[in-house]
Amino acid sequence: MGETAVRGCSVYSSNQQPGGGYTSGLRQPIYGQRPIFTGQIPGQQTPVYGGNYQQGSQPQTVFTYGGYGRGLPFDTASYSSECPDTGIRIQINGIPCEQAVDLHGTFLCYRHEYTSRECCQKCRPLKNPSRIGCEYGDHSGRCTDLRSYDCYDLRNRQSCCATCERLRQTGARAGCEYGDMTPNCDRVRQNPELCYIPENRYLCCDTCHSIRDLNDECPWGDQNSELCAPFDRLGNIRINCYSPPIRRLCCQSCPRIQEWLPGELQGCEYGDRPVTFSAGTHRSLNCTSFMRYFGAQQCVLNEAVATNCCYTCHRYSQA
């Protein structure tokens, strides 16, 4: 049990703070000259993950203890609707708490709402209790540098809750809420066939979706644009669209060849097959060269020529 006042001398009970004495008669607190205790507490580090971000630190806080009041922090449950005097004054980076919140951001309220009356009075009107875990917005002052794909990291979504909510795309598909997961999707946009690779579709989910064609059998065009180039430098057809695997691989180029040719050529929907004929001293000849050397009668005399050079034979028959 604490000591009591004796013969008019001021003594302190065990739960009484220094600086306040009691008279033996009135037993009222007397506030006199008191020592001021200052201490510098390092800023709380709030890392932002992803990209080239380094760990940042919160503004440094100096606590000044003075007056008569409770310790740090006070009971938040008991003071849910009021801002009592805690006996503590705070300076953050050398300025009062109210100004620091305006200058640095409301994230300071997560730490200092219950530290001093001034901080409490500043922070309470800014609080949104319905946003659990994000009552004061971002937990870091460095979230302005965050890019949308950084929000796929759970730690960033927690530290930068308000920013990530703002960057979240309205009506986005599950797994692609913040757009592409990497900044390197420009190459995919320029080469849509890269979206056929599952890993690319996952990382560039927004890009692949935006450039996807309505044709489900050929959503991103030819699967290999170099292999599926339809014509050689001389204008001859160079891909064999009569082959089902080639039609699947070159799902865009084969229909274009078909559209380019006359529609009445049954069995010759994709023009001449990309074949060459070995002709002795003439070496390898394509359909056009073969007709030039051996004549159009080969379309009647030679079944292989008629089949493989169907479009060239058609042109000669129309001449």
Side-chain angles (χ1 to χ4, degrees):
M1 186 172 180
E3 297 177 306
T4 57
V6 178
R7 297 179 183 176
C9 297
S10 296
V11 296
Y12 305 111
S13 65
S14 59
N15 59 358
Q16 183 181 350
Q17 296 187 12
Y22 291 110
T23 63
S24 58
L26 299 177
R27 298 185 60 81
Q28 296 293 325
I30 299 175
Y31 304 105
Q33 187 69 27
R34 302 187 53 182
I36 301 296
F37 303 95
T38 62
Q40 185 166 308
I41 299 179
Q44 178 183 5
Q45 290 189 332
T46 305
V48 178
Y49 303 89
N52 297 319
Y53 300 116
Q54 304 294 326
Q55 285 195 351
S57 59
Q58 305 281 17
Q60 291 186 337
T61 305
V62 175
F63 294 86
T64 302
Y65 300 86
Y68 178 82
R70 302 173 64 89
L72 168 69
F74 59 78
D75 184 358
T76 60
S78 302
Y79 295 90
S80 58
S81 60
E82 298 179 359
C83 290
D85 187 358
T86 64
I88 298 171
R89 301 294 179 267
I90 294 179
Q91 284 195 338
I92 302 173
N93 279 12
I95 58 177
C97 180
E98 310 94 293
Q99 297 178 26
V101 171
D102 289 334
L103 179 63
H104 296 293
T106 56
F107 67 92
L108 293 173
C109 292
Y110 286 110
R111 185 179 184 190
H112 298 301
E113 176 187 1
Y114 299 110
T115 302
S116 72
R117 171 180 285 180
E118 290 76 15
C119 281
C120 176
Q121 290 174 338
K122 177 65 179 179
C123 292
R124 284 294 179 84
L126 304 175
K127 188 173 186 177
N128 185 352
S130 64
R131 301 178 64 187
I132 299 175
C134 198
E135 294 87 347
Y136 290 111
D138 293 333
H139 291 253
S140 170
R142 304 187 67 242
C143 293
T144 53
D145 296 330
L146 204 72
R147 290 164 292 189
S148 57
Y149 52 81
D150 291 319
C151 292
Y152 285 107
D153 191 310
L154 175 61
R155 297 166 296 182
N156 286 339
R157 291 203 301 275
Q158 292 172 341
S159 294
C160 303
C161 54
T163 294
C164 284
E165 184 62 29
R166 177 175 54 81
L167 293 175
R168 184 185 179 96
Q169 296 182 359
T170 303
R173 302 173 314 284
C176 197
E177 295 86 351
Y178 303 101
D180 293 333
M181 301 181 187
T182 170
N184 302 320
C185 291
D186 285 343
R187 183 185 173 194
V188 172
R189 185 174 295 277
Q190 296 168 6
N191 301 275
E193 69 262 24
L194 293 176
C195 289
Y196 286 107
I197 301 174
E199 184 69 11
N200 288 340
R201 285 203 304 275
Y202 173 74
L203 293 174
C204 301
C205 57
D206 188 56
T207 293
C208 286
H209 178 76
S210 66
I211 63 177
R212 181 186 177 97
D213 192 83
L214 296 178
N215 182 1
D216 290 337
E217 295 182 357
C218 193
W220 294 288
D222 295 333
Q223 297 185 32
N224 188 318
S225 57
E226 183 177 352
L227 181 64
C228 293
F231 303 102
D232 62 20
R233 58 187 180 85
L234 298 177
N236 299 306
I237 295 174
R238 60 178 296 274
I239 55 176
N240 182 15
C241 292
Y242 295 99
S243 167
I246 296 298
R247 285 203 301 274
R248 288 193 297 270
L249 184 69
C250 304
C251 58
Q252 185 178 54
S253 290
C254 285
R256 288 180 177 176
I257 292 175
Q258 193 173 20
E259 293 172 0
W260 175 72
L261 294 169
E264 69 274 7
L265 298 179
Q266 292 185 358
C268 194
E269 295 86 353
Y270 302 105
D272 293 339
R273 289 161 175 80
V275 297
T276 56
F277 297 93
S278 178
T281 57
H282 299 294
R283 298 184 179 179
S284 296
L285 301 175
N286 61 22
C287 289
T288 302
S289 300
F290 186 86
M291 297 299 178
R292 187 178 300 124
Y293 283 107
F294 296 101
Q297 67 271 18
Q298 294 295 324
C299 294
V300 178
L301 300 176
N302 192 326
E303 184 178 354
V305 173
T307 300
N308 290 296
C309 301
C310 58
Y311 180 63
T312 299
C313 289
H314 170 76
R315 288 193 294 113
Y316 272 92
S317 68
Q318 300 297 312

